[in-house]
Amino acid sequence: SPYQPLIEALGNHPQKKFYNVSKLGGAKYDTLPYSIRMLFESSVRNCDGFWVKETDAMNILDWKTKQNNVEVPFCPARVVLQDFTGIPAMVDFAAMREAVRNAGGDPVKVNPACPTDLTVDHSLQIDFSKWPETVLKNQEMEFGRNRERLQFFKWSSKVFKNVSIIPPETGMAHQVNLEYLSRIVFEVQDLLYPDSVVGTDSHTTMVNGLGILGWGVGGIETEAVMLGMPVTLTLPEVVGCELTGTVSPFATSIDIVLSITKHLRQPDVAGKFVEFFGSGVSQLSVADRTTIANMCPEYGAILSFFPVDNVTLKHLKHTGFDKAKLEVMEAYLKAVKLFRSDESSSREPEYSQVVQISLSSIVPYVSGPKRSQDRVAVNNMKSDFQACLNEKSGVKGFQIAAEKQNDTVPVEYEGNEYKLSHGCVVIAAVISCTNNCNPSVMLAAGLLAKKAVEAGLVVKPYIRTSLSPGSGMVTHYLSSSGVLPYLSKLGFEVVGYGCSTCVGNTAPLPEAIRNAIKQGDIIACGVLSGTKNFEGRLCDCVRANYLASPPLVVAYAIAGTVRIDFETEPLGTGFNGKSIYLRDIWPTRKELHTVEEECVISSMFKELKEKMEKGNKRWNLLEAPESTLFPWDLKSTYIRCPSFFDKLVSTLVSPQPVEHAHVLLYLGDSVTTDHISPAGSIARSSAAAKYLTSKGLTPREFNSYGARRGNDAVMTRGTFANIKLLNKFIGKPAPKTIHFPSGQTLDVFEAAELYQKEGITVIILAGKKYGLGSSRDWAAKGPFLLGVKAVLAESYEKVHRSQLIGIGIAPLQFHPGENPSTLGLTGREQFSILFPPELSPRMTLDVKTSTGKAFSVIALFENSMEITLYKSGGSLNFVARRF
C-alpha cells in the first residue's frame, strides 16, 4: 500500500500499530460521518492499485462533494454466512475446486481470502411444540434429516482455510454475530483496524448497533468477497438521525424501531447510510441500538450506524471483554476519531440531511395486517381491524360484508367447544429475528407471562404458540430469571433455535380449526415478533398477520383476538372471576432493568463462550471426509455439484445477443425475492416435490427449500414456485405460466425446461422494484438455471440487480414513464436484444419484437467492473478463472 508510511505506534501501547487516517484526512476527515470514516480507513489500508486505488481513497475523503457520484470499493474485515446461503456458497467453493482441478490447476489454492464464519443454525422445522417434546426432540430431528448437510459443513471446516463453522445448537447468524463473532477492533499481527462485515443474512445490519460497519449482500457478492474482491457501492449519502427526548416506560425497543421506521420512510433513505446522533442516543442500550439497526432493510437504508461510545464500552465490559483489550480498543478508536463523545462541546459530523425524532412521542405499535410498514397504534387496533374488514381487498382490506362481520363458527377441540370469529388469533409466535438480541423485550414477555399465570389467565389450547429464540442464551436468561416456566404454562415452549414461524416453518394448525376457518371464511390472525409479514407466509388459511413486540404477542395470545381495546376491555378472567387488564400485568421499566442487570448480561455471555468452546456431542462425534475434493454422492438429495463452472472460459467474450426470446413470466410491481427464490416448506404438488418423490422420499422427508439450498435440482424447481406469484399470463396467484409454442399452462419449471429442450431463450418482464426483500443468491441462480438471459423491469432493488449481473443475467430497465403496457406489449411476443461488443455503464440497447414493435432499454451496468463480470459469465466464473 502507498499509505504504509501512515502506520504509527499506538500511544501507551507501542507494540500496537495502526494507519493514522485522521492525520491523512486532516480537516476534511473531521467533518466526515463516522460510517464514512470507516470506509476511508478500509480504502487506505487495502489500497493495492488494482482492486482499491488511491483515487478511491481520495474520493471517499471528498465525500461531501462526491456522494452519489462515484463508485467506491469496500473490503470488509470478515464475512458471515448462515446455513440458508452458506450451504450453496460452500457447495460453489467445492464445485470450484472440482473445476480448477479439471482445468489443470491446483484445487488446494481455492480458499476464502477473507475470514469467514458460518453459523449452522438458521432453518428450523418445528415437529414438536409441546413440552417435554421440544428442544431436544426438535434438535434430534434436525440433526437426523440434515446429517448430509452437517457432514458437508464439517468437511468444509477441515479442508478450507479461513473458514470457521459455528456448530449446530449454538445460535443463529444474527445472534452469534453480535454475541461472539464481533471484534469491534481487529488485531492481526499487532495491526489494529475497525471491525466490519458483510453477510448473507438480512439481519447482518444489527452489528451497526455496536459500531461495526456491516450490511447484508447477496450470496454471489459474498462469494466474490470471500475470494478477495471488494464490495462496490455508490458513495452513499448519509442521513443524520438526531434522537432527542425521553423514552416512555411503556414503549419497548420494538415500538422505537417501528416509529423510527415510519420516520425514515418519509425522507427516502433508500440506498443511503443512516447515522444516529443527539442526546437521545445515550439513553438507548446496545441491545436497543442493535434492534433499531436490524430494521434498516425494512425502510430501505443500506445500514443504520451507531458509533462506539461509553455505552458500547460498558456493554462490552459486561459481556466479558478483557480489560486490557478494552483499553487498547478505546485508545485506538479515539486516535482515529471513531469514538463518539457525549460532551456537548464535541463537534457533530456534517450529514447529507438531518432527520429529528423525539423519543418522547413514541407509543406502542403493531404492524399489519399484510405489510410490515403499515403501523397501527395498539390503542387503535380494534377499530383499525374493523376498518380492514370493511375496506376493499388490497394492501389492508379484506372486504367482508357488513352482515358477516360478527359471524362465529363453533368448533370442538380437545373436548371443549370454542367459537372462532374474525380477528381470532390462531398463531402466536415469539420468534428469533428481531428481539432476542434485546433481553429487555424478551424478559418483558416473560414477566408479563409470570404475572398473567399468577393472576389465573390462560391461552386457548388451539392457538399455535411457540418460542423460537435466536440462541440458547435467550433460554439461559429466561430460565435464570425464573420466567421460562410461566411462558411454558401459557404454551410458549422453546421449540429450538432458528427461523421457524416467520418463514412458514410451523406445524399445521389443527384440522378442526383449519376447517372452521375455511367454512366460515374467517379472517384468522397470526401475531409474531418478527420483521416480515408477507401475506401467505405463515399459513394459507391465516390471512391477517401482525408484527408485535414479544410481550404483546403473549398479550394477544391470552386475549385470543386482535379485536380488543386493551384500555377498556380485559384480557380475560382470572381467579375468583376477576377481570384482568393489560395494565395489571405489564412489567415496569424498573422491573425489567433490575432483572436484566442481575440475571442476563454477564452470565449469558459467559455461558455462550463456554458453549462455543465445547461444541456439542453430536457435532463432535460427526464423521466427515478430509479429502481435498468433496466426494459427491450422486444419490444425495441435499448436496449436488452445480453446473455453474461447466463452461469456464479463459478469456472475456462478447455478450451473446438475445434472439427470438419468449417471455417466461410477465410480472407486476414489487415482486420480492420470496416470490422468486424458494423458501419455506415444499408444497406436495410442486415440481420440487415431484423430483423428491422420484428419489424415493415421502412428504415428511421433504424438509424445506432452505435446507436443500445445496441441491440445484431442488432449488431450480422451486424458483418462482411461490403460491402468491401473480403472473399476468395466468391472471390469478399461482406458480404457473404459459409455454407459448404449445399453448400449455405448466409449472414455471416445466415450461422453462421445455423451452431449454427446444433451444429457446427466455426473458422476464416485470414492473417496479423487482427483487425486493431478503438478499438471496438463488433469486438469481434459479432464473439463470431456468435459462433466463435478461430481465426487463421498470426498476430494481439494488442488491438483486447486482446479483443478476453476478450470475450473468442482464438487468435491463425501461426508460422513465415506459413499461410493457405503455409500449403496447402483451408478453406473448418474441424479443430480440442486441448487445454490442463493447458495453458501457447505463448504455441504451435496442429491442425488437416479433410483432414489429421496437423500443430501447437501459442496461443497468453501473461501472466497468460490473461489465467485466457480466461479460465473463458472472463473478463466480471470473474468480474461478483466476485460479
Side-chain angles (χ1 to χ4, degrees), residues 31-329:
T31 65
L32 293 178
Y34 290 93
S35 51
I36 300 299
R37 295 178 195 183
M38 295 189 73
L39 287 181
F40 180 62
E41 191 281 338
S42 174
S43 68
V44 168
R45 177 168 39 86
N46 291 288
C47 185
D48 61 359
F50 180 67
W51 293 119
V52 184
K53 301 178 176 64
E54 289 186 66
T55 53
D56 294 320
M58 292 304 103
N59 282 336
I60 297 173
L61 186 61
D62 288 332
W63 168 80
K64 191 173 181 180
T65 58
K66 296 291 180 66
Q67 57 186 288
N68 274 340
N69 292 322
V70 296
E71 293 276 335
V72 295
F74 172 58
C75 299
R78 58 188 171 96
V79 166
V80 170
L81 304 172
Q82 37 89 327
D83 77 326
F84 265 23
T85 43
I87 189 78
M90 298 316 300
V91 166
D92 286 349
F93 267 73
M96 195 179 294
R97 279 197 165 193
E98 197 92 23
V100 168
R101 191 275 309 269
N102 293 340
D106 182 0
V108 176
K109 291 181 178 179
V110 180
N111 293 287
C114 184
T116 300
D117 299 302
L118 191 155
T119 62
V120 174
D121 288 331
H122 186 75
S123 67
L124 173 66
Q125 181 71 41
I126 300 174
D127 295 284
F128 303 96
S129 58
K130 289 194 175 182
W131 189 263
E133 299 172 320
T134 51
V135 176
L136 292 178
K137 285 212 169 187
N138 277 316
Q139 288 178 346
E140 186 177 332
M141 290 290 291
E142 286 289 290
F143 205 93
R145 64 172 150 247
N146 293 317
R147 178 174 291 273
E148 287 182 53
R149 298 167 62 240
L150 295 176
Q151 286 177 323
F152 177 76
F153 280 139
K154 196 153 190 180
W155 171 81
S156 300
S157 69
K158 291 180 177 181
V159 304
F160 288 115
K161 298 177 182 177
N162 273 337
V163 172
S164 173
I165 304 292
I166 311 303
E169 303 171 23
T170 303
M172 302 170 67
H174 32 292
Q175 190 77 22
V176 175
N177 192 14
L178 288 171
E179 295 174 349
Y180 188 77
L181 303 178
S182 293
R183 279 78 152 180
I184 316 298
V185 172
F186 256 80
E187 182 177 334
V188 177
Q189 296 178 344
D190 290 331
L191 179 68
L192 304 173
Y193 53 93
D195 189 3
S196 58
V197 61
V198 294
T200 56
D201 192 273
S202 60
H203 306 286
T204 303
T205 52
M206 296 170 81
V207 297
N208 291 279
L210 280 169
I212 299 170
L213 197 70
W215 62 92
V217 297
I220 298 167
E221 287 178 296
T222 304
E223 290 179 44
V225 172
M226 292 166 67
L227 286 160
M229 291 175 61
V231 173
T232 301
L233 72 160
T234 301
L235 190 59
E237 294 181 40
V238 181
V239 177
C241 186
E242 183 178 17
L243 301 181
T244 59
T246 305
V247 181
S248 161
F250 293 101
T252 68
S253 62
I254 307 306
D255 302 314
I256 297 171
V257 166
L258 294 176
S259 180
I260 289 175
T261 297
K262 179 183 178 182
H263 281 284
L264 293 179
R265 281 186 182 277
Q266 295 169 354
D268 184 18
V269 298
K272 303 173 185 177
F273 285 5
V274 173
E275 189 167 296
F276 291 86
F277 71 102
S279 59
V281 174
S282 296
Q283 296 180 45
L284 302 181
S285 67
V286 165
D288 290 330
R289 297 175 187 190
T290 55
T291 309
I292 292 167
N294 178 66
M295 275 295 277
C296 76
E298 298 300 319
Y299 45 81
I302 297 175
L303 55 86
S304 291
F305 190 73
F306 290 85
V308 175
D309 60 8
N310 287 323
V311 174
T312 317
L313 293 181
K314 183 179 179 181
H315 170 81
L316 295 174
K317 182 179 179 181
H318 285 151
T319 64
F321 261 64
D322 179 72
K323 182 179 179 181
K325 185 175 181 179
L326 282 174
E327 289 178 357
V328 171
M329 181 188 303

Side-chain angles (χ1 to χ4, degrees), residues 497-524:
Y497 308 105
C499 285
S500 51
T501 304
C502 61
V503 293
N505 286 356
T506 190
L509 294 177
E511 187 174 355
I513 303 301
R514 289 175 60 92
N515 291 339
I517 292 172
K518 292 180 178 180
Q519 172 192 334
D521 194 24
I522 296 296
I523 307 299

Side-chain angles (χ1 to χ4, degrees), residues 451-452 455 457 570-571 578-587:
K451 291 185 177 187
L457 297 176
L571 287 173
K578 181 181 178 182
S579 294
I580 307 297
Y581 292 82
L582 181 60
R583 58 179 172 271
D584 299 328
I585 61 173
W586 190 270

Side-chain angles (χ1 to χ4, degrees), residues 130 411-414 420 426-427 461-464 507-517 539 541:
K130 289 194 175 182
V411 58
E412 186 174 313
Y413 183 71
E414 293 186 348
L420 301 184
V426 294
I427 294 177
Y462 63 78
I463 297 176
R464 184 68 71 190
L509 294 177
E511 187 174 355
I513 303 301
R514 289 175 60 92
N515 291 339
I517 292 172
C539 177
C541 65

Side-chain angles (χ1 to χ4, degrees), residues 442-552:
M442 296 299 289
L443 288 171
L447 288 173
L448 186 143
K450 180 176 184 292
K451 291 185 177 187
V453 170
E454 291 172 344
L457 297 176
V458 297
V459 173
K460 294 180 179 65
Y462 63 78
I463 297 176
R464 184 68 71 190
T465 51
S466 62
L467 172 58
S468 177
S471 82
M473 289 303 96
V474 181
T475 305
H476 174 75
Y477 68 68
L478 289 177
S479 179
S480 63
S481 60
V483 300
L484 190 59
Y486 297 97
L487 285 164
S488 298
K489 286 181 180 179
L490 293 181
F492 290 92
E493 301 283 0
V494 177
V495 296
Y497 308 105
C499 285
S500 51
T501 304
C502 61
V503 293
N505 286 356
T506 190
L509 294 177
E511 187 174 355
I513 303 301
R514 289 175 60 92
N515 291 339
I517 292 172
K518 292 180 178 180
Q519 172 192 334
D521 194 24
I522 296 296
I523 307 299
C525 299
V527 186
L528 60 152
S529 59
T531 61
K532 298 180 179 69
N533 57 346
F534 297 118
E535 189 178 5
R537 213 183 211 197
L538 297 190
C539 177
D540 58 1
C541 65
V542 178
R543 293 157 64 186
N545 302 316
Y546 286 94
L547 305 181
S549 63
L552 282 177

